[in-house]
Amino acid sequence: MEKLGVRIRGIYSTALTSIFKEAGLVIVEPSEKITRRFNLKEEDPPSSLLKVRDRRDKQGVIVEGDRAREAIGILREGLFDLIVREKEGVWEVEFPYLSKLKLDSIRSKVLPTIGNHHRLRIIAGSEVDWVEEGPMKGSELEDLIYSDYQPGVELGIEHIKIGGQRLFLGRGRIIEFNPSDKTLKLLRRFKGGGTYDGLDLPIDEDDFCITLTKEAFFGLIHTYYSKKKELKGRLYNFNTPVEFYPSSIRYVDLELDIVETKDGSKRLIDEEIFEELVNKGHIGSALSDKIRELSLRVMND
């Protein structure tokens, strides 16, 4: 089969160039920086060409081309929590927490790279360039992520569906944040209306929820209470490792949940939806195995 060419642009270009170059792809129309970093020589571009560029929110990339599946397969080999979507022949790839860390590591083998480079590029792109080329310590910039994580501060909860839809679960007030292990506890109050997912109980006026999670954790634990502080139930939500940002936390929901009633009984829900997402290739085998393992552990706890 003819060699595959790839044209890469965006904040992930150095790491992706390294991955695709090592896999034998021809890097086409590299930028001046990329040409210099990889000492690339001019080659005739293959007729089979992929185009890779940042998504608008920079949480991943768009891959276009007839042989896009090959590029997706190459990425899946090394990026544990990769999420893949196909939309009208265009492939959308999400890089959650662990994927970004791996891309950071790959980039660091090419040139100086601060911790959480790609996450910081999303929120403070020009500052990252300045730090990596200048005297400022990278740790000072990393502190930007957690600077607002103080009791009483409100954070948004970005609940991203596999299809890419962004659901905003409201804002939670920080009750506790442990900077050493990045454990976070949030309080949300409800106006009433609707029902709790899987519990078949009404959401009453002044009910509230305590949400417990931590950075890089594969889930959130939502515990629901009435206004009289009576336990109503608990939901274990499984997702890609949670990412922290200055004004919100973010993750991709993997649909699988465990509902725990107030008497302590547990029930796994939406397992068939989860398995369908795996079968369709949205979720890789390594990530799906991890989620199955965690759900079994919670059910047996």
Side-chain angles (χ1 to χ4, degrees):
M1 184 178 290
E2 183 192 15
K3 275 195 170 184
L4 178 60
V6 58
R7 179 185 185 274
I8 309 168
R9 293 292 186 271
I11 67 172
Y12 301 98
S13 57
T14 300
L16 294 181
T17 296
S18 182
I19 291 173
F20 289 135
K21 184 174 180 292
E22 186 173 333
L25 275 64
V26 177
I27 309 302
V28 176
E29 299 178 19
S31 67
E32 187 177 318
K33 284 185 177 180
I34 292 296
T35 299
R36 186 171 62 252
R37 288 170 185 173
F38 291 90
N39 192 28
L40 296 177
K41 308 299 181 184
E42 189 171 341
E43 297 185 61
D44 293 330
S47 58
S48 294
L49 177 65
L50 299 177
K51 295 181 180 180
V52 178
R53 55 182 168 84
D54 285 346
R55 282 174 27 184
R56 183 174 297 179
D57 63 5
K58 300 190 185 302
Q59 291 289 348
V61 293
I62 302 295
V63 183
E64 299 178 83
D66 293 339
R67 292 168 62 184
R69 287 179 183 270
E70 292 180 43
I72 302 299
I74 291 167
L75 294 177
R76 275 210 190 282
E77 290 179 12
L79 302 179
F80 181 88
D81 54 358
L82 193 77
I83 299 295
V84 178
R85 310 175 180 108
E86 185 180 9
K87 299 184 176 181
E88 300 166 326
V90 174
W91 294 81
E92 190 175 279
V93 179
E94 178 115 8
F95 296 140
Y97 180 85
L98 293 178
S99 290
K100 288 192 185 76
L101 281 188
K102 184 62 179 290
L103 293 169
D104 291 346
S105 175
I106 292 169
R107 186 183 189 277
S108 71
K109 296 174 182 176
V110 179
L111 72 166
T113 300
I114 63 172
N116 290 310
H117 169 93
H118 290 100
R119 188 159 34 137
L120 287 166
R121 283 296 303 270
I122 294 171
I123 62 174
S126 59
E127 288 90 339
V128 172
D129 292 336
W130 187 74
V131 167
E132 291 178 341
E133 297 171 3
M136 183 179 175
K137 294 181 179 177
S139 59
E140 296 175 25
L141 188 57
E142 285 186 81
D143 288 342
L144 283 177
I145 296 175
Y146 312 105
S147 59
D148 290 336
Y149 281 60
Q150 306 294 332
V153 172
E154 291 190 343
L155 294 175
I157 302 175
E158 293 187 55
H159 181 98
I160 312 300
K161 303 296 285 185
I162 283 288
Q165 305 92 328
R166 176 181 177 270
L167 303 183
F168 188 66
L169 300 188
R171 304 189 70 81
R173 179 166 56 83
I174 296 177
I175 301 172
E176 295 176 14
F177 175 64
N178 186 329
S180 60
D181 67 1
K182 305 298 189 297
T183 300
L184 177 67
K185 187 182 289 187
L186 298 173
L187 168 67
R188 286 182 294 149
R189 295 192 180 276
F190 304 132
K191 293 181 179 179
T195 58
Y196 291 108
D197 188 22
L199 287 170
D200 297 322
L201 293 174
I203 302 174
D204 297 317
E205 184 79 18
D206 291 329
D207 278 3
F208 64 96
C209 172
I210 302 295
T211 295
L212 180 64
T213 190
K214 64 184 296 186
E215 188 170 72
F217 187 50
F218 287 86
L220 299 94
I221 304 172
H222 304 291
T223 305
Y224 304 110
Y225 297 91
S226 71
K227 63 180 179 181
K228 295 181 180 180
K229 300 183 179 180
E230 298 166 328
L231 176 66
K232 294 189 110 175
R234 186 172 286 115
L235 179 72
Y236 299 83
N237 188 99
F238 295 98
N239 43 257
T240 59
V242 179
E243 293 184 89
F244 287 5
Y245 288 94
S247 59
S248 65
I249 63 174
R250 187 181 194 280
Y251 55 87
V252 179
D253 178 37
L254 300 180
E255 297 296 344
L256 193 66
D257 299 306
I258 290 176
V259 171
E260 182 178 353
T261 59
K262 61 183 179 180
D263 65 4
S265 61
K266 295 176 182 175
R267 180 166 55 92
L268 192 65
I269 62 173
D270 295 334
E271 187 174 15
E272 68 285 352
I273 300 177
F274 171 77
E275 294 299 340
E276 183 180 2
L277 296 176
V278 176
N279 292 335
K280 287 184 174 180
H282 297 296
I283 304 170
S285 59
L287 178 58
S288 59
D289 287 347
K290 177 70 173 180
I291 296 302
R292 292 188 191 99
E293 173 197 334
L294 290 174
S295 63
L296 185 61
R297 191 184 306 171
V298 172
M299 285 295 293
N300 294 331
D301 188 13

